[in-house]
Amino acid sequence: MGGPDDVRRPVMPPRLPRLPRLPRLPRLPRLPRLPIGSPLQLLLLACSFALAAYAGVRLLADDWFGVALWFVGAALLHDLVLLPLYAAADRAVVRGLGTIRRREWVLYVRVPAALSGLLLLVWFPLISGRVERRYRLDTGLSADGFLARWLLITAVLFGGSALLLVLRLRRLRRAAEHRPPAVH
């Protein structure tokens, strides 16, 4: 004991018999997590629903049939007339820019057109001049100038979009000039 050839090994405890393996149960599918957000988001969502319910009750209190008829008419007008019109206009723009191999320019037309269309949709009664008398009686202001302002905003939107396109093309052209030539 204690010599150079003495190798001490730890005493191993006796091996316990192995337990038989139980068959694995099939895994249950995981339920998807609900993306409910933070408590602040839930509070804001509940407040927006409460505000919408209040506005709906106030709106439907006087002339519920007229409001319901207006909603149905607006949905039908949008789905049956307007959606095919602006889908056809979008396809024409995509095809037109596709023929000159510039399909990436489509967004520079879509975004200002969509914003201008949204402004026209919201302010159409005043832009068209159909409610000028009523607007003047209710607010005491003149309804003149809504068409000119809408046209000006539309021109600024398309001009800004064109300016962004020019800046992007200039940046791409400069990057291509500084790129080393490809070796073939």
Side-chain angles (χ1 to χ4, degrees):
M1 216 167 139
D5 294 330
D6 188 16
V7 178
R8 293 191 178 201
R9 294 186 182 154
V11 178
M12 299 292 287
R15 286 190 172 200
L16 296 174
R18 281 195 157 179
L19 296 174
R21 284 194 165 193
L22 296 174
R24 283 195 151 178
L25 296 174
R27 293 187 103 191
L28 295 174
R30 277 189 156 182
L31 295 174
R33 288 188 58 189
L34 294 175
I36 56 173
S38 70
L40 179 62
Q41 288 174 328
L42 291 174
L43 178 67
L44 288 174
L45 184 64
C47 289
S48 67
F49 279 137
L51 181 64
Y54 172 74
V57 167
R58 294 287 305 241
L59 182 67
L60 296 174
D62 295 333
D63 184 20
W64 68 270
F65 184 73
V67 172
L69 186 66
W70 185 84
F71 271 115
V72 170
L76 289 175
L77 176 71
H78 175 266
D79 292 349
L80 299 178
V81 177
L82 295 177
L83 182 66
L85 281 177
Y86 54 74
D90 185 60
R91 281 189 194 263
V93 168
V94 169
R95 281 192 185 138
L97 291 174
T99 57
I100 60 171
R101 298 180 189 256
R102 300 289 185 213
R103 288 190 74 166
E104 65 271 8
W105 292 2
V106 170
L107 285 180
Y108 292 95
V109 176
R110 275 184 187 162
V111 172
L115 292 174
S116 177
L118 181 64
L119 288 173
L120 178 64
L121 178 69
V122 170
W123 298 104
F124 180 75
L126 290 168
I127 291 171
S128 66
R130 291 183 172 207
V131 292
E132 185 173 349
R133 181 178 165 274
R134 184 174 177 186
Y135 182 75
R136 185 178 308 238
L137 291 174
D138 287 346
T139 64
L141 301 172
S142 172
D144 295 338
F146 277 94
L147 176 62
R149 288 184 206 127
W150 175 74
L151 289 172
L152 180 65
I153 290 171
T154 300
V156 167
L157 287 171
F158 277 98
S161 183
L163 179 67
L164 288 174
L165 177 62
V166 167
L167 291 175
R168 177 179 178 229
L169 291 176
R170 184 180 292 169
R171 190 184 76 226
L172 290 175
R173 191 170 293 135
R174 284 185 182 163
E177 289 173 356
H178 296 296
R179 190 178 316 140
V183 178
H184 295 284

